[in-house]
């Protein structure tokens, strides 16, 4: 990473809420990054951290195979905050003792603050009852030399601690979760009070430094970018273009599987509002040919993926020597998450279907440090239109995996019309931005109906709408009945060839968001 003026380095010990700590800190306009607890001291020093956080984790510090970070962290002269497991580790490494608790503490607890400076500056003191969220089966039994208690709770006499001379603090509760009502204040007190950070990490400053980085990296070489119509690739394109102008060429492959108007507005924006060069490849009939007679979902995906790479490669080849591929890899894709008692997997990176290897391209990934909501903020700052920024995710294989069975022009036409109605009603009712994704699926069966006085035997459309934070898990959205009713009535009335609409009420897992 580039060294940020002020930055807080978080060491991950496998807690599910570690990402939240980084987000909470970034919300305060201070840059923060997560690394596995195994990060070497040299690398850590190289990052010039303003503060270090030892985060939570499911292990017990006294176990033989417990994840233990380098003890010399405490000799760097940098403030350290231990959270939950991190607090216990700090105690153990500094000479205290941690044991299994007789009473475990999970969920809400009441914190009684006894010292209102440092982490608790500006907060109400004893007898105070601040709601915090705990999740621990071990507890600190003996405080390390030099530390004093700053708060207790029913089951944790040492719910928070501070070192009397050094900038080391520890909390047994999780300040990063919403249930800890004083959580943001605690983190603010750490980053601004103890670490003396300045709130300078804004999207504006991010753009400036990233644009400079891209310029330095690309030099005078050519860069290509696959524009998909989605927010990530649009933001990448806008950013790289700002850095190197005409050295960037974007390639938009229309595979004929897009929903009505899905990408046109983004293309229009880039063409009308920027000088970006976009090669717009119309490959609709190529993809339809490739998909003819193919009903197997994996085979469809493979053919669409292969076709995309082939066309992209052909177009890129026409540009002469290209050295870089710019793509929208996001931070959650690159964090090495620590899985205790298992391997530490690095989540697989999104990439454009193996293109970099095939074409020997190096990557430019300007969004690697950002979460999705930060990318949206960045897009707005770059002047992208709101409709592009808040567009729901859309899968690469497009409508091809929302038509069960054969993908034909006729079936695409039916699905597109139904899909427009879903989006239209979701937007009108204000639900479009409340859900993760909402769309129509065309089923491969026909059912009997009655229209006018006649019998019909026509297609079924399924409506899928899910709530999710990251698409890893999802639940079906509890849309109002009248909204579902309107969608159903309109589809049956307006889309020729459909006489029945059903609503998908499955969660992920065990289902997935897309049907194929
Ligand atoms: P599933 O169906 O696996 O989808 O629950 C999770 C999320 O990923 C999207 N998705 C894709 N996105 N290429 C993409 O770029 C794909 O092949 C693909 N398949 C699924 C899906 O829309 C959802 O947001």
């Amino acid at each position: 990473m580039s060294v940020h003026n002020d930055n807080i380095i978080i060491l991950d010990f496998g807690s599910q809420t570690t990402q939240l700590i980084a987000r909470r800190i970034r919300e305060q306009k201070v840059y923060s990054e997560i690394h596995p607890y195994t990060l070497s001291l040299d690398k850590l020093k190289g990052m010039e951290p303003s503060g270090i956080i030892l985060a939570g984790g499911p292990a017990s510090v006294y176990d033989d195979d417990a994840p233990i970070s380098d003890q010399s962290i405490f000799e760097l002269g940098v403030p350290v905050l231990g959270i939950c497991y991190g607090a216990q580790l700090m105690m153990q490494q500094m000479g205290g003792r941690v044991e299994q608790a007789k009473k475990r503490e999970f969920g809400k607890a009441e914190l009684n603050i006894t010292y209102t400076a440092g982490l608790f500056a500006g907060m109400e003191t004893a007898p105070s009852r601040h709601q915090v969220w705990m999740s621990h089966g071990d507890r600190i039994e003996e405080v390390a030399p030099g530390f004093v208690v700053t708060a207790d709770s029913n089951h944790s006499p040492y719910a928070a601690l501070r070192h009397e001379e050094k900038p080391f603090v520890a909390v047994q509760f999780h300040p990063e979760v919403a249930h800890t009502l004083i959580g943001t204040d605690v983190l603010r007190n750490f980053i601004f009070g103890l670490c003396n950070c300045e709130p300078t990490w804004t999207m504006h400053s991010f753009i400036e430094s990233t644009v400079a980085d891209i310029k330095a990296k690309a030099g005078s070489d050519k860069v290509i970018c696959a524009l998909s119509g989605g927010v990530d690739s649009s933001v990448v394109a806008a950013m790289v273009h700002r850095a190197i102008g005409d050295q960037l060429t974007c390639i938009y492959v229309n595979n004929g599987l897009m929903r009505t108007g899905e990408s046109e507005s983004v293309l229009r924006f880039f063409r009308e509002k920027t000088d970006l060069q976009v090669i717009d490849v119309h490959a609709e009939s190529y993809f339809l040919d490739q998909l003819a007679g193919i009903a197997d979902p994996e085979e469809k995906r493979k053919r669409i993926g292969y076709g995309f790479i082939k066309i992209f490669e052909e177009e890129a080849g026409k540009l002469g020597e290209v050295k870089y591929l710019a793509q929208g890899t996001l931070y959650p894709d690159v964090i090495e998450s620590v899985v205790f008692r298992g391997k530490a997997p690095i989540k697989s990176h999104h990439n454009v279907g193996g293109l970099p290897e095939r074409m020997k391209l190096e990557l430019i990934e300007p969004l690697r440090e950002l979460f999705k909501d930060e990318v949206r903020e960045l897009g707005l700052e770059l002047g992208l239109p709101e409709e592009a920024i808040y567009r729901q995710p859309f899968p690469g294989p497009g409508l091809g995996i929302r038509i069960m069975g054969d993908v034909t022009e006729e079936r695409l036409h039916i699905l597109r019309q139904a899909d427009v109605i879903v989006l239209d009603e979701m937007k009108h009712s204000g639900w479009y931005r409340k859900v993760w994704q909402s769309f129509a699926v065309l089923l491969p069966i026909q059912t009997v109906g009655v229209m006018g006085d006649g019998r019909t035997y026509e297609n079924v459309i399924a409506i899928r709408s899910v709530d999710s934070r990251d698409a890893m898990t999802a639940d079906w959205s509890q849309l109002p009945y009248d909204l579902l009713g309107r969608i159903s009535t309109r589809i049956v009335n307006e889309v020729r060839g459909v006489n029945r609409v059903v609503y998908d009420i499955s969660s992920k897992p065990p289902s997935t968001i897309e049907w194929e």
Side-chain angles (χ1 to χ4, degrees):
M1 74 165 206
S2 47
V3 174
H4 293 262
N5 284 349
D6 286 329
N7 70 76
I8 303 289
I9 298 299
I10 300 166
L11 295 187
D12 180 23
F13 296 89
S15 164
Q16 312 224 320
T17 56
T18 304
Q19 278 204 25
L20 280 180
I21 307 174
R23 300 180 71 123
R24 294 287 101 83
I25 294 174
R26 289 178 181 203
E27 279 163 16
Q28 299 302 322
K29 304 197 186 312
V30 172
Y31 185 70
S32 177
E33 233 178 51
I34 302 167
H35 290 272
Y37 69 91
T38 47
L39 182 72
S40 76
L41 199 66
D42 278 347
K43 279 200 181 145
L44 181 59
K45 271 194 213 159
M47 293 169 184
E48 299 173 21
S50 321
I52 297 167
I53 293 182
L54 308 177
S60 292
V61 289
Y62 47 77
D63 282 348
D64 288 343
D65 55 355
I68 305 284
S69 47
D70 195 323
Q71 188 154 346
S72 310
I73 283 172
F74 297 106
E75 283 149 32
L76 294 177
V78 173
V80 184
L81 164 64
I83 294 176
C84 195
Y85 176 88
Q88 296 168 2
L89 182 61
M90 182 187 285
M91 280 306 108
Q92 174 161 297
Q93 290 189 319
M94 303 293 283
R97 191 162 47 86
V98 174
E99 282 179 9
Q100 193 171 35
K102 288 191 187 65
K103 275 209 163 145
R104 300 184 309 169
E105 228 177 346
F106 288 104
K108 282 179 198 164
E110 285 185 339
L111 190 77
N112 181 37
I113 295 172
T114 52
Y115 176 82
T116 52
L119 282 189
F120 301 123
M123 289 177 218
E124 199 184 316
T125 180
S128 62
R129 290 277 169 261
H130 297 280
Q131 180 188 308
V132 295
W133 194 76
M134 299 269 197
S135 176
H136 62 112
D138 295 334
R139 72 175 206 179
I140 298 160
E141 288 298 332
E142 205 178 298
V143 174
F147 281 85
V148 290
V149 180
T150 53
D152 55 61
S153 74
N154 280 352
H155 300 299
S156 299
Y158 310 128
L161 299 150
R162 71 177 176 96
H163 195 284
E164 284 190 296
E165 282 144 32
K166 296 176 182 163
F168 304 147
V169 283
V171 291
Q172 185 58 67
F173 59 90
H174 287 265
E176 68 276 20
V177 304
H179 299 299
T180 296
L181 302 181
I182 52 167
T184 303
D185 292 330
V186 168
L187 289 173
R188 281 177 58 89
N189 283 335
F190 179 65
I191 57 182
F192 298 126
L194 274 79
C195 304
N196 290 316
C197 291
E198 294 285 334
T200 51
W201 192 72
T202 59
M203 277 306 147
H204 183 72
S205 65
F206 178 82
I207 292 173
E208 281 184 357
S209 64
T210 308
V211 161
D213 288 349
I214 296 171
K215 263 188 197 154
K217 183 166 183 181
S220 56
D221 287 311
K222 282 188 186 162
V223 181
I224 48 171
C225 172
L227 203 57
S228 73
V231 58
D232 301 344
S233 66
S234 301
V235 170
V236 166
M239 190 88 157
V240 176
H241 184 254
R242 188 172 281 204
I244 56 166
D246 279 354
Q247 283 165 250
L248 170 72
T249 306
C250 292
I251 301 178
Y252 172 72
V253 179
N254 189 339
N255 56 14
L257 304 168
M258 309 308 285
R259 44 175 34 159
T260 309
E262 178 78 17
S263 295
E264 280 84 345
S265 62
V266 176
L267 282 174
R268 198 180 320 121
F269 168 79
F270 281 115
R271 293 217 160 120
E272 290 173 6
K273 299 270 162 65
T274 75
D275 304 326
L276 196 77
Q277 304 184 58
V278 185
I279 300 176
D280 184 3
V281 190
H282 284 270
E284 293 94 323
S285 50
Y286 168 82
F287 280 93
L288 267 186
D289 284 351
Q290 291 298 308
L291 291 174
I294 305 297
D296 177 67
E298 272 316 295
E299 187 59 27
K300 277 188 196 172
R301 279 177 174 273
K302 270 191 207 144
R303 287 180 180 230
I304 297 168
Y306 172 81
F308 180 81
I309 290 181
K310 178 180 158 314
I311 290 167
F312 194 89
E313 248 180 341
E314 279 169 16
E315 292 301 323
K318 295 178 195 165
L319 297 172
E321 185 90 354
V322 174
K323 187 158 178 205
Y324 296 99
L325 174 75
Q327 68 176 18
T329 310
L330 303 194
Y331 193 49
D333 304 323
V334 298
I335 303 177
E336 289 179 53
S337 39
V338 172
V339 179
F340 186 60
R341 285 190 215 288
K343 294 200 171 68
I346 301 174
K347 280 195 202 164
S348 51
H349 295 203
H350 286 297
N351 58 35
V352 191
L355 265 174
E357 294 79 25
R358 279 173 70 130
M359 294 181 62
K360 301 195 175 58
L361 294 170
E362 289 178 43
L363 293 175
I364 289 183
E365 300 177 309
L367 312 183
R368 275 179 76 85
E369 296 178 346
L370 303 185
F371 290 109
K372 187 89 179 178
D373 47 351
E374 292 170 336
V375 174
R376 293 201 157 115
E377 209 184 315
L378 177 61
L380 290 176
E381 181 82 28
L382 286 164
L384 290 174
E386 279 216 4
E387 51 174 311
I389 298 300
Y390 292 105
R391 178 169 286 134
Q392 291 176 357
F394 186 67
L399 301 182
I401 54 167
R402 292 181 181 170
I403 293 177
M404 307 300 100
D406 256 14
V407 180
T408 61
E409 194 60 73
E410 188 195 349
R411 292 177 70 73
L412 274 166
H413 184 60
I414 292 176
L415 182 58
R416 280 204 185 99
Q417 293 175 80
D419 195 69
V420 166
I421 294 172
V422 175
L423 291 188
D424 196 36
E425 291 297 336
M426 292 296 287
K427 285 181 179 166
H428 266 101
S429 59
W431 275 85
Y432 180 81
R433 284 203 202 171
K434 288 189 205 161
V435 305
W436 174 263
Q437 263 172 305
S438 46
F439 54 89
V441 177
L442 178 58
L443 304 193
I445 46 165
Q446 289 175 295
T447 67
V448 173
V450 53
M451 276 190 195
D453 289 328
R455 174 187 189 273
T456 58
Y457 187 55
E458 289 180 331
N459 292 291
V460 183
I461 286 282
I463 308 297
R464 181 78 163 141
S465 178
V466 295
D467 302 329
S468 177
R469 270 186 44 202
D470 50 17
M472 302 298 287
T473 59
D475 204 358
W476 56 281
S477 320
Q478 307 226 354
L479 298 180
Y481 285 167
D482 62 337
L483 171 58
L484 287 169
R486 268 199 312 279
I487 291 174
S488 166
T489 308
R490 280 196 58 194
I491 290 177
V492 172
N493 285 346
E494 295 174 32
V495 183
R496 233 169 242 281
V498 177
N499 68 353
R500 190 177 298 271
V501 175
V502 296
Y503 188 48
D504 179 352
I505 52 169
S506 345
S507 61
K508 171 185 179 175
S511 302
T512 51
I513 295 177
E514 303 291 345
W515 277 42
E516 285 192 337

